[in-house]
């Protein structure tokens, strides 16, 4: 893991399992508080897209790490709020497709992939107030931020949300893989505020986090 100096900016960490609603919530909060939104999952998805394009077996951790060790990785926030992830000189696209959904957990447990992506995440936001969503933002990437949330929902609700988007995504299988991997597994940070959004609308979830942020002294 690369050395990490003090965070200069304010970071809101939003972690949670697949399809927990954290992307919609993070986007809405970023708009409300006027801060940058970074979806760290897109970085692991871009790495997966690159691995697949190279014909590398995503389950072969050694090969995945060997490849990621030989290419440049960069991320750029676009004016429209989207994130471009460049791996090996190519902006990776098609990041929410079914093949990426299938293989992203395998690729994201490779140690060097994690090191590279965490370095990218820290570099991106050095002095920019940011909401970053992911699996290990409050536990590993920015463990010192006091603004930490774990957004979850029941497995049924999460599967239904993906289906409503017209997407096939084995959320339970991804959660199992993401929670049981060796490097930086998905866990709830001890000091995170847990929000169960199963019975909440998007607006109610955003409101709950915004209230908690104000209580924690945000701005
Ligand atoms: O947030 P998402 O579902 O788009 O993330 C896709 C995958 O990327 C997820 O199954 C595990 C991995 N991921 C990770 O390992 N660490 C993060 N901080 C974000 C995502």
């Amino acid at each position: 893991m690369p050395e990490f100096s003090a965070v200069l900016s304010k970071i809101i960490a939003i972690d949670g399992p697949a399809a927990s609603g954290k992307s919609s919530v993070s986007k809405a909060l970023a708009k409300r508080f006027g801060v940058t939104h970074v979806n760290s999952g897109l970085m692991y998805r871009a790495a997966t897209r690159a691995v697949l394009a190279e014909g590398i077996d995503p389950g072969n951790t050694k090969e995945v790490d060997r490849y990621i060790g030989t290419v440049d990785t960069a991320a750029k926030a676009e004016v429209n709020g989207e994130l471009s992830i460049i791996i090996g000189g190519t902006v990776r696209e098609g990041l929410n497709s079914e093949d990426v959904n299938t293989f992203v957990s395998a690729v994201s447990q490779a140690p060097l992939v994690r090191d590279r992506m965490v370095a990218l995440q820290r570099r991106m936001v050095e002095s920019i107030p940011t909401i970053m969503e992911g699996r290990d933002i409050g536990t590993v990437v920015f463990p010192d931020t006091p603004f930490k949330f774990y957004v979850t929902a029941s497995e049924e609700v999460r599967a239904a949300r993906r289906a409503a988007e017209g997407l096939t995504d084995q959320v339970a299988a991804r959660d199992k893989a993401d929670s049981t991997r060796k490097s930086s597994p998905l866990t709830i940070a001890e000091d995170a505020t847990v929000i169960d959004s199963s019975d909440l609308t998007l607006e109610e979830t955003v409101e709950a986090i915004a209230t908690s942020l104000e209580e924690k002294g945000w701005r």
Side-chain angles (χ1 to χ4, degrees):
M1 189 70 59
E3 202 171 306
F4 174 53
S5 57
V7 183
L8 303 175
S9 57
K10 280 189 172 180
I11 305 287
I12 300 171
I14 309 235
D15 290 306
S20 57
K22 56 189 189 310
S23 285
S24 312
V25 167
S26 301
K27 267 185 215 158
L29 280 167
K31 206 167 163 199
R32 176 157 168 170
F33 288 103
V35 301
T36 300
H37 166 229
V38 175
N39 177 347
S40 68
L42 289 178
M43 299 181 187
Y44 295 94
R45 288 174 176 275
T48 306
R49 174 53 71 223
V51 161
L52 293 173
E54 288 294 314
I56 296 164
D57 170 6
N60 187 335
T61 301
K62 261 198 183 153
E63 275 303 295
V64 168
D65 269 355
R66 192 200 50 76
Y67 166 71
I68 210 78
T70 62
V71 290
D72 284 342
T73 49
K76 207 168 90 190
E78 302 293 349
V79 185
N80 62 6
E82 297 296 318
L83 201 61
S84 285
I85 322 286
I86 302 133
I87 299 198
T90 303
V91 176
R92 301 295 168 170
E93 286 169 347
L95 304 186
N96 290 307
S97 59
E98 292 189 12
D99 55 348
V100 172
N101 283 343
T102 303
F103 295 114
V104 66
S105 290
V107 171
S108 58
Q109 56 84 41
L112 193 56
V113 170
R114 298 215 69 79
D115 277 4
R116 298 296 291 274
M117 298 305 148
V118 169
L120 202 55
Q121 288 150 23
R122 290 175 176 164
R123 211 161 54 231
M124 267 197 90
V125 304
E126 253 172 6
S127 56
I128 310 167
T130 300
I131 290 182
M132 190 176 291
E133 57 164 300
R135 300 292 187 290
D136 59 346
I137 308 306
T139 50
V140 173
V141 186
F142 297 111
D144 295 334
T145 182
F147 308 111
K148 274 182 207 181
F149 297 87
Y150 186 90
V151 177
T152 188
S154 71
E155 203 173 297
E156 296 72 37
V157 167
R158 293 187 290 113
R161 285 179 185 162
R162 272 295 188 266
E165 291 166 350
L167 295 170
T168 310
D169 187 357
Q170 304 300 322
V171 291
R174 274 209 291 138
D175 290 346
K176 184 157 183 249
D178 295 341
S179 310
T180 54
R181 70 183 177 217
K182 271 205 204 119
S183 0
S184 315
L186 169 67
T187 53
I188 307 177
E190 262 177 31
D191 52 345
T193 301
V194 179
I195 310 273
D196 186 336
S197 72
S198 304
D199 299 319
L200 300 181
T201 61
L202 171 61
E203 292 70 26
E204 288 167 341
T205 311
V206 169
E207 207 46 54
I209 297 180
T211 304
S212 173
L213 275 171
E214 273 147 26
E215 283 166 9
K216 287 172 196 262
W218 175 267
R219 294 265 161 97

